[in-house]
Amino acid sequence: MRYLFIALAAGGLGVGCATPRVSSEPRMSVEVERWRGRYQEERERAEALAVRLAEAESALEAVAQERAETAQLNQVLEEELGRAAAVRHSLVEHNAQLVTRQREMTALREELEDVWYQAALSRARRRSQPPSAQEPSQAPAPPMPAGSP
């Protein structure tokens, strides 16, 4: 009997080892594949969101740079406007000085014309008088126009 018991034990072990194992691997692998698919979808979605976020940040940086450039240009334009106003003011003052000088020149020209006219009139009188009428004493000087030195 010993041999029978050993034969049964060896046979049972042999049969027990040869029997297929029932495990939950197929069920686990399906679950793993499903979670792997979800992970891939979430990863792609996260990557797409990261790309959109990078684009938005790039656009924000561009807008910030444009605003900074605009602020600098506004400051430069205000400085130029201030300079232009100062130049305009100096030109207005210079123009006023020129107008004043022009009036002075016109007044001097009128006085010169009066003096020339008086000189020409006195020469004409001397020429029109006969030589005998001229006496050694000179005729009184013609009256000077008002405002002349």
Side-chain angles (χ1 to χ4, degrees):
M1 252 282 265
R2 255 198 235 175
Y3 290 111
L4 182 61
F5 180 68
I6 292 176
L8 279 174
L13 283 176
V15 171
C17 291
T19 58
R21 286 188 179 174
V22 177
S23 66
S24 61
E25 283 184 26
R27 185 174 208 187
M28 278 292 258
S29 67
V30 169
E31 193 70 24
V32 167
E33 288 300 319
R34 193 173 83 208
W35 279 102
R36 185 175 289 154
R38 283 185 185 173
Y39 171 75
Q40 289 296 330
E41 289 173 4
E42 288 296 319
R43 183 175 171 195
E44 290 172 2
R45 191 172 136 237
E47 288 175 358
L49 286 174
V51 168
R52 287 179 50 201
L53 180 63
E55 290 173 353
E57 287 176 350
S58 175
L60 283 174
E61 288 176 5
V63 168
Q65 185 176 5
E66 286 178 10
R67 284 184 180 171
E69 289 174 359
T70 302
Q72 286 178 344
L73 288 176
N74 283 340
Q75 184 179 8
V76 168
L77 286 176
E78 287 176 6
E79 290 173 1
E80 285 296 320
L81 184 62
R83 285 188 205 125
V87 168
R88 181 179 177 272
H89 181 68
S90 66
L91 286 175
V92 166
E93 287 178 3
H94 186 66
N95 188 32
Q97 291 173 356
L98 288 176
V99 167
T100 303
R101 285 190 178 182
Q102 185 178 11
R103 288 180 187 150
E104 291 172 358
M105 295 296 290
T106 302
L108 284 174
R109 186 174 58 211
E110 288 175 359
E111 287 179 23
L112 259 170
E113 286 175 357
D114 288 344
V115 169
W116 287 338
Y117 178 74
Q118 292 295 329
L121 188 59
S122 69
R123 277 193 304 254
R125 283 185 190 155
R126 278 186 271 150
R127 289 184 185 161
S128 66
Q129 291 178 355
S132 62
Q134 291 181 353
E135 297 181 10
S137 65
Q138 291 262 340
M144 295 299 264
S148 61

